[in-house]
Amino acid sequence: MAEATSNARDWRARLITFRCMVSSQHDAVHRIFRQEPDLLARLVPETGVKFPEYSSIEPLDTDLTELRPLERRVDSFFRVRTADDEGGFLLAVESQTKPDPDKHNSWTYYLAHIYAKYRLPPILVVVCRDKKTAAWAEEPICIGRHFHTSMKVFPLVLGPNGVPPVTDPEEAAKDLALTTFSVLVNAKEPGLLAILDAVAPVVGPNVDWAEFMEAGLDEGPARDHWRKLMAVYTPNFPGFGSVMEEAWIRVHSDGEAKGKAEGKAEGKAEGKAEDILRALEVRGVEVSESVRERVMACVDLEQLGTWFDRALTVETAEELFAEA
């Protein structure tokens, strides 16, 4: 019992540490970029701009403060090194939750300042989670008067219009960073809970991306739903803390030890069965009532695992039960 209590404390301590680093949707998006900067090269083409061949993308200090007492910080900042000898270029990445005319002043300042400081061409990328804000952010920023434009800024916007959610399990498994980002950038869209259902079997077993997803969702129904989904994916190694451990502790905190064990097994079986049916539905495979009943009635986790693997490729739902 003492060891279990200690493990629970370890889990919670790691979760608290993680949430100190990633405390909101805003932070989660930029943590994804900093953990995998190459994701930007895969996303920028969604804005209609071809990303050049590059050798590396390196995070830079986000502090753009000058000597005078005026603090300026860009959300994320990267240097892209290209194959040629021209030094590459810079990516300044900002998150925007609503239209804000004052941001035009900040963004033009960022670009002018970093161009003067680094002597490399800067590009502004703006991440938005709703279509209204994305449409506003896409508008060119003109500096000057009606008779002459001194500066014009064209932000590249990553939002719901250009980055649809990845829901196909096979595609989601190929790029967890892109899958996680695509869900978070569409977090304001209708049908979010169904999107979470679709990606949970793929993202859930990966502790880091599951935590990014949880931190990036707004407090409320979506985050609660994700926590319930993650309760199915319990860890294989006790003491390895994550949002899944915390969710498991919360979901299974009542009752005696035997009841906990039985509830855990039943929850895993039911969750796996639902994942199988959801995978079939997302792929457009028709599921009859008899197939649904047989899958939901199964409590053999090994058998359910076999059916889930087949659910990603079968042409008909009945093929789940074919003999090897």
Side-chain angles (χ1 to χ4, degrees):
M1 178 66 71
E3 182 179 356
T5 303
S6 176
N7 287 339
R9 289 198 194 99
D10 291 343
W11 298 338
R12 291 190 178 97
R14 183 174 184 269
L15 186 65
I16 291 170
T17 300
F18 179 83
R19 284 177 178 164
C20 286
M21 295 185 295
V22 185
S23 58
S24 67
Q25 184 273 341
H26 175 281
D27 294 333
V29 166
H30 293 282
R31 286 279 295 178
I32 291 174
F33 288 142
R34 290 165 199 158
Q35 176 155 321
E36 190 164 336
D38 287 351
L39 176 60
L40 287 161
R42 305 196 289 278
L43 284 169
V44 167
E46 301 293 338
T47 68
V49 175
K50 182 179 179 181
F51 201 91
E53 184 178 348
Y54 67 98
S55 57
S56 67
I57 303 180
E58 306 159 4
L60 298 176
D61 188 352
T62 60
D63 191 346
L64 304 181
T65 306
E66 296 184 86
L67 292 179
R68 58 180 176 160
L70 178 62
E71 184 176 353
R72 303 274 193 175
R73 290 183 184 273
V74 66
D75 291 334
S76 288
F77 192 29
F78 302 89
R79 177 173 181 173
V80 181
R81 297 185 183 274
T82 54
D84 54 43
D85 295 327
E86 297 182 2
F89 58 95
L90 304 171
L91 285 173
V93 186
E94 285 278 282
S95 288
Q96 194 63 28
T97 57
K98 62 181 179 180
D100 181 2
D102 288 340
K103 276 295 183 178
H104 289 172
N105 297 331
S106 300
W107 293 344
T108 52
Y109 168 85
Y110 293 160
L111 296 178
H113 177 71
I114 60 182
Y115 183 59
K117 179 177 181 178
Y118 292 95
R119 303 299 185 189
L120 290 173
I123 294 174
L124 174 65
V125 178
V126 182
V127 178
C128 303
R129 288 203 301 166
D130 66 90
K131 295 177 180 178
K132 179 181 178 181
T133 304
W136 167 82
E138 286 176 339
E139 297 176 0
I141 304 169
C142 297
I143 307 298
R145 301 296 293 175
H146 68 277
F147 59 87
H148 178 71
T149 299
S150 299
M151 180 189 298
K152 198 166 189 177
V153 176
F154 297 89
L156 298 180
V157 176
L158 298 174
N161 287 333
V163 185
V166 179
T167 57
D168 180 80
E170 292 185 38
E171 292 300 315
K174 293 177 183 177
D175 194 335
L176 291 180
L178 178 58
T179 298
T180 304
F181 179 86
S182 73
V183 174
L184 294 183
V185 86
N186 285 276
K188 299 293 186 182
E189 295 298 296
L192 176 60
L193 299 189
I195 295 172
L196 295 178
D197 288 339
V199 302
V202 179
V203 178
N206 187 292
V207 174
D208 289 336
W209 295 115
E211 289 182 329
F212 280 129
M213 187 77 79
E214 196 246 4
L217 295 169
D218 289 330
E219 193 69 49
R223 183 176 286 177
D224 292 341
H225 187 66
W226 181 253
R227 286 172 174 168
K228 291 178 182 178
L229 292 172
M230 291 303 96
V232 175
Y233 301 97
T234 53
N236 294 320
F237 302 98
F240 184 60
S242 72
V243 65
M244 281 91 82
E245 283 87 348
E246 187 209 46
W248 189 90
I249 290 171
R250 182 170 56 254
V251 171
H252 301 279
S253 60
D254 297 327
E256 298 297 327
K258 182 178 178 180
K260 289 182 180 180
E262 291 175 351
K264 176 183 174 183
E266 292 174 0
K268 290 185 70 172
E270 182 179 357
K272 183 64 73 175
E274 290 174 349
D275 291 341
I276 292 168
L277 298 175
R278 181 60 187 168
L280 292 171
E281 292 170 0
V282 169
R283 294 184 57 238
V285 178
E286 185 176 354
V287 179
S288 66
E289 192 60 29
S290 61
V291 169
R292 185 180 301 276
E293 290 176 358
R294 182 172 176 180
V295 171
M296 292 303 299
C298 182
V299 294
D300 185 335
L301 291 177
E302 184 175 352
Q303 180 64 72
L304 289 169
T306 300
W307 289 350
F308 177 77
D309 292 340
R310 293 177 181 175
L312 301 178
T313 58
V314 295
E315 297 296 327
T316 66
E318 286 70 19
E319 291 177 43
L320 291 176
F321 316 125
E323 294 296 330

